[in-house]
Amino acid sequence: AWRAQGLKVGFVPTMGNLHAGHMSLLAAARFRADRVIASIFVNPLQFGQGEDYNQYPRTPEEDARLLQGAQCDALFMPEVAELYPEGGTQATLVSVRGLADVLCGAFRPGHFDGVATVVAKLFGIVQPDVAVFGEKDFQQFVIIRRMTRERTCSRVNSRIDRKTPVADAAIRSTKTATAITHTITAKSNT
């Protein structure tokens, strides 16, 4: 309905347990889009052996309250079975070769394949015009940017935007790398 009205849709994917850094990403998305959707999904594919998926903090009620206060227009909280009908054992994964298996990825095999897979799925469902990610995990950002460029079959407009009032305010308010926002503009070719 929003696209039919000519509105630009922004997207902030998260794993929940939201904090000030996430709120700054929502503000950045609001600055770049007419409507903002956030997702909360604790992705089992990005947890490796010895990493406790079941212990990851889940605070859905508090997260919903924070999102409402941040003027988020919609919250998407899929169940694992909705995104992974095969229970996380599906044969198809998104892997960004040359980036996913170095640095942090060398010590967490499969982690970034899990990240890229879920982000691709979420992009396919939400179909955002703009997605906003923090710089806290720069390797993750680079992987998502590359995946987005290659999946859209064109050079995607991506930039580090540190000059907008929203980004400046976010940096001042949180004083963390998470607050420095990156924008990926992805027009779907489908």
Side-chain angles (χ1 to χ4, degrees):
W2 291 335
R3 279 192 189 73
Q5 297 170 14
L7 301 176
K8 193 174 193 178
V9 176
F11 181 46
V12 180
T14 79
M15 290 199 346
N17 197 31
L18 303 180
H19 51 72
H22 293 105
M23 297 304 105
S24 69
L25 298 176
L26 286 159
R30 172 67 62 202
F31 184 76
R32 292 165 174 81
D34 304 303
R35 296 290 182 263
V36 176
I37 300 170
S39 68
I40 296 176
F41 181 70
V42 181
N43 179 24
L45 290 189
Q46 65 192 81
F47 286 82
Q49 213 166 44
E51 297 176 336
D52 202 343
Y53 164 79
N54 293 322
Q55 295 302 313
Y56 190 87
R58 291 166 173 83
T59 56
E61 295 83 16
E62 176 66 10
D63 291 346
R65 186 187 66 72
L66 287 170
L67 290 169
Q68 185 176 20
Q71 300 177 336
C72 182
D73 297 296
L75 170 59
F76 178 50
M77 278 188 11
E79 297 294 324
V80 172
E82 292 177 87
L83 293 185
Y84 302 119
E86 302 299 321
T89 61
Q90 71 276 358
T92 304
L93 295 172
V94 177
S95 183
V96 181
R97 293 180 297 196
L99 294 176
D101 56 358
V102 297
L103 302 171
C104 179
F107 301 97
R108 298 181 75 191
H111 169 74
F112 289 115
D113 293 349
V115 170
T117 299
V118 77
V119 170
K121 285 177 173 272
L122 292 169
F123 280 4
I125 293 165
V126 174
Q127 297 186 354
D129 297 297
V130 176
V132 182
F133 295 85
E135 190 179 72
K136 180 180 173 191
D137 187 336
F138 191 71
Q139 184 175 7
Q140 177 173 291
F141 166 74
V142 171
I143 287 168
I144 292 168
R145 178 178 59 191
R146 170 73 62 83
M147 177 205 62
T148 303
R149 283 181 178 164
E150 291 180 3
R151 285 178 48 93
T152 59
C153 301
S154 65
R155 180 126 177 106
V156 175
N157 174 21
S158 64
R159 66 185 184 276
I160 298 174
D161 190 348
R162 297 174 193 231
K163 299 190 189 292
T164 65
V166 171
D168 289 343
I171 292 167
R172 281 194 306 272
S173 69
T174 65
K175 297 180 184 170
T176 66
T178 305
I180 301 169
T181 60
H182 296 281
T183 302
I184 297 174
T185 304
K187 297 287 183 185
S188 174
N189 288 341
T190 56

